[in-house]
Amino acid sequence: MDKPAFDHLIENKLSSTELFKGRLLHAFRDEVSLPNGAVATREYVVHPGAVMVVPLLEDSAGSLQVVLERQFRYPVGRVMIEFPAGKLDAGEECFACAQRELREETGYSASQWAHAGVLHPLIAYSTEFIDIWFARGLSRGPRQLDEGELLDVFTATPAQLLDWCRQGLVTDGKTLTAALWLQNVISGSWSLDWRDVL
């Protein structure tokens, strides 16, 4: 199949000005040339990227639950229901970050992992991407939360999670995306390529 041509949509950077550099966010204002010859301004945030893990717990009867977190998110002033997630450290591979975040935030380690895909949550103003991983074969250990990181870990059935999404109790974009992915995996519409991890 031939690759479609999208040259008529591409914008090209003319200049760039740094606006802010913090511990997490790095903001820029660029001037760009548009395909029609006009010049426009684009403000955006450079982000190191992140991972999200969908941890699956199965009991001896085969009943499935997911591991979730409740965490206060200061910018929106609310306690949010989320899947475990976190940003990449400098030079860190996505899979290593997924393993680390699951262990640190929930205390769980997983014997099987599957890469689901990538989410770009803020395409209008950020370079952030979130690598999505599924984990199963969970074993519990101690949590290793970062200093100042306060969160509750709990479990729910996929049906409960989807109902909370429908009710508007789950509004976090990455968790909504993961719930859609989970729903399709459970129904058999989407497959995952699981691999054992020692």
Side-chain angles (χ1 to χ4, degrees), residues 133-168:
W133 292 84
F134 278 64
R136 67 185 184 189
L138 302 183
S139 56
R140 192 86 186 251
R143 295 194 298 166
Q144 301 162 4
L145 296 174
D146 293 335
E147 188 175 340
E149 188 175 31
L150 304 170
L151 53 89
D152 291 337
V153 176
F154 67 104
T155 60
T157 66
Q160 286 173 315
L161 173 61
L162 291 170
D163 195 46
W164 295 337
C165 294
R166 181 190 60 77
Q167 293 177 46

Side-chain angles (χ1 to χ4, degrees), residues 28-123:
F28 291 87
R29 178 184 296 123
D30 290 2
E31 285 209 337
V32 300
S33 64
L34 305 179
N36 65 3
V39 174
T41 300
R42 301 287 183 252
E43 293 181 351
Y44 61 99
V45 173
V46 173
H47 186 283
V51 300
M52 172 178 55
V53 182
V54 181
L56 306 177
L57 268 177
E58 199 169 327
D59 64 22
S60 57
S63 177
L64 186 67
Q65 293 200 319
V66 292
V67 178
L68 295 161
E69 299 174 349
R70 284 190 187 92
Q71 186 172 188
F72 181 76
R73 293 299 193 174
Y74 183 82
V76 293
R78 286 180 52 190
V79 173
M80 305 293 280
I81 296 172
E82 306 172 52
F83 278 110
K87 75 173 186 64
L88 293 164
D89 288 339
E92 188 176 31
E93 295 290 329
C94 289
F95 179 53
C97 182
Q99 291 177 297
R100 177 179 58 77
E101 287 294 340
L102 178 64
R103 185 178 59 255
E104 288 179 357
E105 292 188 359
T106 70
Y108 283 106
S109 296
S111 62
Q112 290 189 311
W113 289 83
H115 182 246
V118 176
L119 163 67
H120 291 95
L122 306 164
I123 57 174

